[in-house]
Amino acid sequence: MPPVLLTKRIEFAAAHRYIKPEWDEAKNRAVFGPCYNPPAHGHNYLLEVTVSGEVDPKTGMVINLFDLKRVLLVVIEEFDHKNLNLDMPYFTDRIPTSENIARVLWQKLEHQPDIGTLHALRLYEDEDLYADMTAADGLERASVTRRYSFTAVLEGHQGHTWDCFVTVRGAIDRVTGIVTDIGALDRAAQDRIVQAFDGQDLRNVLGVRPVTGELLAKSVWDRLRPSVNGGALAAVRLVQTRDLCFEYAE
């Protein structure tokens, strides 16, 4: 029987700030944007931990959920309600970006004997931004996903809101701690996707009939791919309703 994946969620609150003390203010602001603003800003982080293993024929479980929760609570307690820049030794020489926080959490979890084999880790900074690490990619690479929304008409029907999830994958920069320039991605998405599509009939914008969800996802990919600064565009996922989504990846 192939391994089964099991995912557990847990929350914690912490504050951080993106800053390189050896840089002047102009460079910090140019690289990190609002994330540089003093003082530190807080997030209610959501951590998803996915473990892999064989189903125990006696218990019917991959891992005892009580053991998994216990380990996660112990790990998260160290981070909860802390200023990550000032209170945590892991970030004395690295910026506590979502990517770097996810990497530290991976290192703390991967050798825990009571949780099986660590397969993937996802850290939500908020509903619109999260970072992923996987066993396949290792500790030096991560994916970052950003959500954008717009309301548009598809095939002449009443308009509805689309959620567009854009994923960029690449090496975690050793200096900045980021995979990609989120500010640049935000500007490109606002200009080429949100402003271009919002309130519009997509048949007129794209110049084709019919406009399918598959075609729209490919169009978003083509519009954003040249603007990714750092890493590479990995996937575009368009959520039309809670029951229907479209994804394009290469």
Side-chain angles (χ1 to χ4, degrees), residues 4-7 49-53 62-63 68 115-120:
V4 174
L5 303 180
L6 183 148
T7 300
V49 176
T50 300
V51 297
S52 171
V62 171
I63 187 69
L68 179 57
I115 67 170
T117 301
L118 188 58
H119 176 80

Side-chain angles (χ1 to χ4, degrees), residues 17-38:
R17 182 188 182 197
Y18 291 14
I19 179 173
K20 291 289 288 182
E22 61 269 32
W23 291 356
D24 62 22
E25 181 168 342
K27 185 171 183 178
N28 271 292
R29 288 197 178 279
V31 175
F32 300 125
C35 291
Y36 166 72
N37 291 342

Side-chain angles (χ1 to χ4, degrees), residues 233-248:
L233 190 58
V236 168
R237 180 163 56 95
L238 278 175
V239 180
Q240 182 174 347
T241 68
R242 61 177 296 176
D243 301 318
L244 180 63
C245 70
F246 306 89
E247 185 164 335
Y248 184 86

Side-chain angles (χ1 to χ4, degrees), residues 17 22 29 50 55 99 126 136 141 181-182 189 199 232 239 250:
R17 182 188 182 197
E22 61 269 32
R29 288 197 178 279
T50 300
V55 177
E99 296 95 314
D126 54 41
R141 297 177 61 82
D181 185 337
I182 292 295
V239 180
E250 289 184 350

Side-chain angles (χ1 to χ4, degrees), residues 22-220:
E22 61 269 32
W23 291 356
D24 62 22
E25 181 168 342
K27 185 171 183 178
N28 271 292
R29 288 197 178 279
V31 175
F32 300 125
C35 291
Y36 166 72
N37 291 342
H41 58 279
H43 295 284
N44 292 318
Y45 289 96
L46 174 63
L47 175 65
E48 289 184 352
V49 176
T50 300
V51 297
S52 171
E54 303 289 341
V55 177
D56 188 303
K58 295 182 179 179
T59 65
M61 299 185 294
V62 171
I63 187 69
N64 189 308
L65 285 175
F66 176 82
D67 291 334
L68 179 57
K69 183 178 180 180
R70 173 179 53 80
V71 170
L72 292 179
L73 286 173
V74 170
V75 170
I76 292 306
E77 183 180 13
E78 185 180 7
F79 295 78
D80 197 30
H81 290 87
K82 297 293 179 59
N83 183 316
L84 301 179
N85 298 75
L86 303 179
D87 301 332
M88 307 299 291
Y90 314 109
F91 304 109
T92 55
D93 59 350
R94 69 180 82 179
I95 300 171
T97 61
S98 293
E99 296 95 314
N100 274 339
I101 299 169
R103 175 160 51 185
V104 170
L105 290 170
W106 183 284
Q107 290 173 312
K108 295 183 72 66
L109 288 169
E110 67 176 332
H111 299 302
Q112 295 287 341
D114 293 332
I115 67 170
T117 301
L118 188 58
H119 176 80
L121 183 154
R122 174 172 291 179
L123 181 67
Y124 286 85
E125 189 169 292
D126 54 41
E127 293 183 348
D128 296 327
L129 181 65
Y130 58 84
D132 286 288
M133 298 200 72
T134 66
D137 279 344
L139 287 172
E140 302 304 319
R141 297 177 61 82
S143 298
V144 176
T145 299
R146 184 72 148 168
R147 181 178 71 169
Y148 306 95
S149 299
F150 59 90
T151 300
V153 174
L154 181 68
E155 287 308 294
H157 300 298
Q158 182 177 358
H160 59 266
T161 299
W162 298 77
D163 282 330
C164 178
F165 294 84
V166 178
T167 299
V168 178
R169 179 181 294 115
I172 303 173
D173 188 276
R174 294 179 179 273
V175 176
T176 64
I178 60 178
V179 165
T180 192
D181 185 337
I182 292 295
L185 184 63
D186 286 346
R187 291 188 292 272
Q190 288 297 323
D191 181 46
R192 302 184 182 189
I193 306 302
V194 178
Q195 293 183 21
F197 293 165
D198 196 48
Q200 303 298 314
D201 186 323
L202 295 176
R203 295 174 300 178
N204 298 331
V205 176
L206 301 179
V208 295
R209 286 173 170 77
V211 177
T212 63
E214 296 91 332
L215 186 148
L216 183 57
K218 176 64 163 57
S219 177
V220 171

